[in-house]
Amino acid sequence: MSDILDRSAQPLQERTAQVVTLRGELDVFAAPALRARLDMLSAGPCPDLVLDLRPVSFIDCSGLGVLCRVRNRVSARQGRLRLVTDSTSLRRVLRYTGMAGVFELLPGMPVGVDGRTAVDALDGGAPIASR
């Protein structure tokens, strides 16, 4: 479960999209720290979040719960949430759980969004490095 998060907030033209790259396993151990970070990123008005899930190797119901929570928070604040994934497995999980139509799914980083990330790794749910 180490290396679950690489995070960044990259300014774009008039609106700022915050890119969060998730790595490794998005499970019950990683969910609390991820939930706290995404709550912080989605706290303001009109949040624009891009979650890059391409490096995620596993997601359980806790991880799905975090994705649903951030989606609800962003929606309540008239923001936008985009999930970047090229994983057929993740798309299948979303489809089987009835959540495929709930999220804006993209196969790659959106045009105009800078995909560079600042590293903030997790080991056992506790932040160990941050830039």
Side-chain angles (χ1 to χ4, degrees), residues 3 28 33 47-48 57 102 108 114 125 129:
D3 272 334
V28 68
D48 186 4
S57 60
V102 171
D114 185 353

Side-chain angles (χ1 to χ4, degrees), residues 41-107:
L41 292 173
S42 62
C46 300
D48 186 4
L49 295 178
V50 177
L51 303 184
D52 186 355
L53 304 175
R54 292 175 292 184
V56 170
S57 60
F58 175 80
I59 187 166
D60 69 7
C61 60
S62 299
L64 291 175
V66 171
L67 295 180
C68 288
R69 177 183 173 89
V70 72
R71 182 223 169 254
N72 292 341
R73 288 176 57 87
V74 166
S75 180
R77 291 164 176 82
Q78 291 74 46
R80 185 175 185 190
L81 173 67
R82 293 168 277 182
L83 305 182
V84 178
T85 182
D86 53 6
S87 168
T88 56
S89 298
L90 179 57
R91 288 177 183 269
R92 187 178 311 122
V93 166
L94 292 174
R95 189 172 58 248
Y96 290 168
T97 57
M99 292 191 289
V102 171
F103 296 102
E104 183 179 350
L105 299 174
L106 304 173

